[in-house]
Amino acid sequence: MKPLVTLTSRVVVLPNDNVDTDQIIPARFLTTTTREGLGEHLFADWRKDPSFVLNRPETKGAQILVAGNNFACGSSREHAPWALVDFGFRAVVSTSIADIFTNNAVKNGLLPVEVDEETYTKIVAAASAGNDEVVIDLKTQTLTLPDGHSGRFPVEGFARHCLLEGIDQLDFILREDDAIAEFESHR
Amino acid sequence: MNRTPRTLFDKLWDGHVVRPESEHHPAVVYIDLHLVHEVTSPQAFDELRRRGLKLRRPDLTVATMDHSIPTLFDAGEPRYADEQTRLQVDALKRNCEAYGVRLYEMGEPGQGIVHVIGPELGLTHPGKTIVCGDSHTSTHGAFGAWAFGIGTTEVGHVMATQCLLQRKPKTLEVRIDKTLGLGVSAKDLILAIIRQIGVDGGTGHVIEYTGECIASLSMDERMTVCNMSIEAGARAGLIAPDETTFNYLENRDHAPKGDAWERAVSEWRTLRTDDGASYDESVSIDASRIEPMVTYGTNPGMAIGISESIPMSGGSERQALQYMEMSEGDAMVGKAVDVVFIGSCTNARLDDLRQAASVLKGRKVADGVRVLVVPGSQEVKRLALAEGLDRVFLDAGAEWREPGCSMCIGMNGDAVASGQLAVSTSNRNFEGRQGKGSRTVLASPLTAAACAVSGKISDVRSLM
């Protein structure tokens, strides 16, 4: 996993609330047996619309997706973060992000950033004014807008550590082998 | 001993902590049962292979095929939607063989939708931790198990270590007072709950459903309720086990037997929230005020009672109405229906099929309406055949298929065509969920059957 310490990027704003994982990656693309190449199908149905935000040339190369409340609700498919990362995103920003998606995202080097309503509104306004380069600093857990406004966001401590160092969580659990064996011996 | 009163969830948590959480790391939590299916497992098996790891506890791992498999066969041969779905099913077979995992294969007794077979085989017990790479794993919480969906990386964690890293979630009590009226079922109840608390009302929480109404429900009905906890944002939903739970489990294949059964039941009786224990949040709902429910938008919280009209909406909801070709102030009753789907991990158990059949018996499906009935498992199919339910469906003009997820997710070729309106007993009315451009109205098996007969969205109570 690629470490993530700071991220400076323009944003892509998808202001819809309750964007579900079926939109992020429709089920017909889940018949794959690998995790590669899913970026091509990211928001596949919405991208059919030429005016969809990801089809606009100015959003090309943006690494931060900003979406409405309750982002990535629905299914547990990890294909959703795989597709976002494969497309080029390193962070998603919303006022609320679904639990399973959050868990999946951090394991793939994709940072879920939950901001307050005020910060969210300011990002959306900055984006519509075309002045939307934001800085996300995972060490200080802050997101800063071009006008200097800064919002803090929570990140689970261990996930933060793993993202900063680019560490795999499985190695941590594998080191608990003795404790797991001990636990099993009492069952 | 003067112990601090604990919630049911506290007890499940305390019983599975291998290493407690700290500021630096989440708790290491032990998993008692890992359910596996073809869609979310291949990349996890590959990860084991890549790292040269063993699957730690094949004896606590059970696999089935459900999402990609066809529900139609030609002379005994499965009619796969495409080559890719066949390859995915083959990959599961190879992986289960290589890692010694018990696999319930297509057509074999025991096979079916993963959340239908776990309880049916008696694998799902009160007090267990159960995970699966599928968000509707919350279903198993109906037995007082802590059951939740995980992604494929975590599927790999469980395969390798039988553990997961977890922060302790908060608890939300949803108390349901009184009982449901005639024609109103568990599906209507959970849709009413999601409407009330919102599609993110349970985020960060485990829901415990309590109250008189919950106690009165059968296990099939309780599973319907817990199944859709995730549609309110909660990864897990719980119901404390009681006599209904024990009666359901007794004598099932993998349930404890003899003395072990007695010991298990006395242990399971302690799995309830203690007097004086407190939840982080509580809400209550009066079941007697709930009508048959239908959704009108593109998330399960956009639901109304069958006699209501579509409420005023703003922002994203307006876009949802546009997609659904519906308008504020419209009644749902009377809207023409193209497809009716009776199936899914939400509503494809025997109780569900019986309810749908009770409406369809002696009646005909309306002209131009396609009705698909897909039992949740081989066992549900067997029991339905024994009661002659298949005849009721076929005589009415419905299609009777082989078990699987089918049209709930549309991965196997069972899909709703673009623009068509489907009344579905499944769990998600997301845009395109049942096929590209499909429009979904979620409803109970009773309501779905009533819509099949009239060809329009209908109040089942008018047929009772």
Side-chain angles (χ1 to χ4, degrees):
Chain A
M1 196 169 79
K2 235 166 52 179
L4 194 151
V5 183
T6 60
L7 184 60
T8 304
S9 170
R10 298 196 64 190
V11 302
V12 176
V13 178
L14 189 59
N16 313 43
D17 290 339
N18 306 314
V19 172
D20 57 74
T21 52
D22 275 82
Q23 306 318 311
I24 299 173
I25 182 90
R28 62 183 181 278
F29 302 111
L30 308 188
T31 54
T32 178
T33 53
T34 67
R35 54 176 82 197
E36 285 82 32
L38 288 167
E40 188 188 331
H41 308 302
L42 179 70
F43 292 110
D45 290 340
W46 287 357
R47 268 161 80 188
K48 297 243 154 55
D49 172 3
S51 69
F52 181 62
V53 65
L54 289 182
N55 291 328
R56 293 185 205 145
E58 69 271 22
T59 63
K60 222 177 163 68
Q63 294 178 283
I64 301 171
L65 178 68
V66 178
N69 195 56
N70 195 29
F71 178 71
C73 55
S75 134
S76 64
R77 61 189 71 166
E78 199 159 317
H79 309 68
W82 291 338
L84 286 160
V85 169
D86 190 51
F87 191 85
F89 288 112
R90 295 300 313 271
V92 290
V93 180
S94 176
T95 46
S96 164
I97 302 175
D99 288 339
I100 303 181
F101 178 85
T102 296
N103 264 298
N104 290 339
V106 296
K107 294 179 181 66
N108 290 280
L110 180 70
L111 177 64
V113 179
E114 279 189 349
V115 294
D116 55 38
E117 197 70 41
E118 186 197 357
T119 304
Y120 175 78
T121 310
K122 280 180 188 284
I123 302 171
V124 174
S128 65
N131 181 26
D132 61 350
E133 190 168 89
V134 309
V135 180
I136 293 174
D137 185 332
L138 180 54
K139 276 203 169 131
T140 56
Q141 294 174 232
T142 52
L143 179 149
T144 309
L145 280 104
D147 70 356
H149 174 88
S150 186
R152 271 184 69 78
F153 58 88
V155 185
E156 193 281 308
F158 185 69
R160 175 175 172 275
H161 170 70
C162 291
L163 281 163
L164 284 170
E165 306 290 333
I167 296 175
D168 193 300
Q169 299 198 4
L170 177 55
D171 292 327
F172 177 87
I173 320 178
L174 284 168
R175 284 199 297 274
E176 295 293 316
D177 192 55
D178 290 349
I180 298 168
E182 165 72 12
F183 184 89
E184 283 176 327
S185 72
H186 298 296
R187 293 178 83 72
Chain B
M1 196 164 84
N2 206 353
R3 283 196 83 153
T4 315
R6 294 184 296 165
T7 63
L8 167 57
F9 179 69
D10 289 332
K11 295 177 185 181
L12 295 172
W13 173 269
D14 292 347
H16 292 89
V17 172
V18 172
R19 183 173 297 284
E21 60 186 331
S22 77
E23 187 194 332
H24 302 292
H25 60 79
V28 177
V29 169
Y30 198 77
I31 302 303
D32 295 318
L33 175 63
H34 186 194
L35 300 168
V36 172
H37 65 80
E38 72 275 25
V39 178
T40 55
S41 66
Q43 298 88 347
F45 280 114
D46 281 348
E47 187 66 10
L48 288 187
R49 225 169 262 127
R50 193 180 70 79
R51 289 171 171 257
L53 293 167
K54 283 195 314 192
L55 194 148
R56 185 184 177 95
R57 295 294 299 266
D59 58 323
L60 303 181
T61 312
V62 174
T64 191
M65 32 187 78
D66 53 8
H67 284 68
S68 294
I69 58 168
T71 56
L72 280 179
F73 288 71
D74 293 323
E77 281 303 303
R79 197 193 287 177
Y80 283 102
D82 52 38
E83 184 59 10
Q84 192 57 42
T85 51
R86 192 184 63 75
L87 289 174
Q88 195 171 52
V89 169
D90 285 349
L92 181 69
K93 286 187 205 170
R94 276 199 316 277
N95 283 327
C96 287
E97 208 174 287
Y99 288 91
V101 173
R102 173 68 167 101
L103 169 65
Y104 289 90
E105 293 203 44
M106 229 182 312
E108 180 188 351
Q111 178 262 334
I113 305 176
V114 64
H115 310 308
V116 176
I117 70 164
E120 223 171 52
L121 291 166
L123 289 162
T124 300
H125 299 173
K128 275 190 178 180
T129 43
I130 302 175
V131 297
C132 173
D134 190 286
S135 62
H136 292 110
T137 308
S138 57
T139 311
H140 307 263
F143 292 79
W146 177 24
F148 55 99
I150 56 177
T152 297
T153 299
E154 289 192 325
V155 167
H157 291 183
V158 179
M159 285 176 174
T161 68
Q162 206 56 33
C163 289
L164 281 175
L165 291 169
Q166 291 288 305
R167 289 283 176 194
K168 191 176 180 185
K170 293 184 186 153
T171 51
L172 165 63
E173 178 193 25
V174 177
R175 196 184 74 236
I176 321 291
D177 300 318
K178 303 188 185 163
T179 52
L180 297 167
L182 180 74
V184 185
S185 62
K187 181 62 161 290
D188 304 303
L189 169 60
I190 187 62
L191 286 171
I193 292 170
I194 299 165
R195 175 201 202 178
Q196 178 168 328
I197 69 175
V199 287
D200 62 348
T203 303
H205 293 75
V206 167
I207 297 176
E208 183 182 343
Y209 301 96
T210 65
E212 180 190 351
C213 178
I214 294 295
S216 73
L217 300 180
S218 70
M219 287 318 297
D220 283 5
E221 292 170 315
R222 293 178 189 186
M223 284 189 259
T224 299
V225 172
C226 288
N227 172 274
M228 288 187 71
S229 302
I230 185 63
E231 312 316 331
R235 291 174 76 186
L238 296 173
I239 293 173
D242 60 10
E243 295 308 317
T244 305
T245 321
F246 310 144
N247 290 339
Y248 176 100
L249 282 175
E250 192 167 13
N251 298 321
R252 292 201 179 252
D253 280 4
H254 293 269
K257 306 284 181 327
D259 287 350
W261 170 257
E262 298 303 327
R263 281 197 304 277
V265 170
S266 70
E267 172 92 26
W268 294 343
R269 285 187 202 284
T270 67
L271 293 172
R272 41 187 52 257
T273 293
D274 298 328
D275 292 339
S278 59
Y279 301 94
D280 293 295
E281 285 177 71
S282 285
V283 297
S284 66
I285 294 177
D286 177 346
S288 67
R289 298 173 65 95
I290 298 171
E291 287 193 287
M293 300 286 292
V294 285
T295 62
Y296 59 90
T298 56
N299 70 57
M302 297 177 79
I304 51 175
I306 193 79
S307 70
E308 296 174 59
S309 48
I310 297 174
M312 300 285 280
S313 53
S316 302
E317 289 182 343
R318 196 152 289 170
Q319 191 178 326
L321 287 187
Q322 207 171 7
Y323 179 86
M324 291 298 292
E325 299 171 31
M326 308 232 174
S327 309
E328 292 171 359
D330 276 8
M332 287 299 287
V333 170
K335 287 192 185 293
V337 169
D338 301 300
V339 177
V340 170
F341 173 60
I342 296 168
S344 88
C345 59
T346 312
N347 279 130
R349 298 180 181 81
L350 192 62
D351 271 10
D352 302 311
L353 299 191
R354 281 178 178 158
Q355 293 201 356
S358 73
V359 175
L360 288 167
K361 195 173 174 70
R363 294 192 169 103
K364 291 283 180 200
V365 167
D367 284 347
V369 179
R370 178 186 181 203
V371 180
L372 205 65
V373 184
V374 183
S377 68
Q378 296 293 343
E379 181 63 5
V380 171
K381 181 185 158 193
R382 187 183 71 80
L383 295 169
L385 291 175
E387 291 184 16
L389 299 183
D390 58 321
R391 280 317 327 165
V392 174
F393 294 124
L394 290 165
D395 289 347
E399 296 173 53
W400 170 252
R401 296 288 187 88
E402 292 299 313
C405 300
S406 181
M407 203 182 259
C408 169
I409 188 162
M411 286 184 69
N412 72 336
D414 296 342
V416 176
S418 186
Q420 285 193 325
L421 189 75
V423 174
S424 178
T425 67
S426 54
N427 39 57
R428 288 185 176 140
N429 52 344
F430 298 155
E431 282 185 31
R433 168 78 178 187
Q434 296 189 281
K436 216 160 101 185
S438 61
R439 299 180 295 142
T440 300
V441 171
L442 301 177
S444 71
L446 283 173
T447 296
C451 297
V453 168
S454 66
K456 299 195 259 296
I457 295 190
S458 307
D459 187 339
V460 67
R461 294 172 298 186
S462 66
L463 296 178
M464 295 178 116

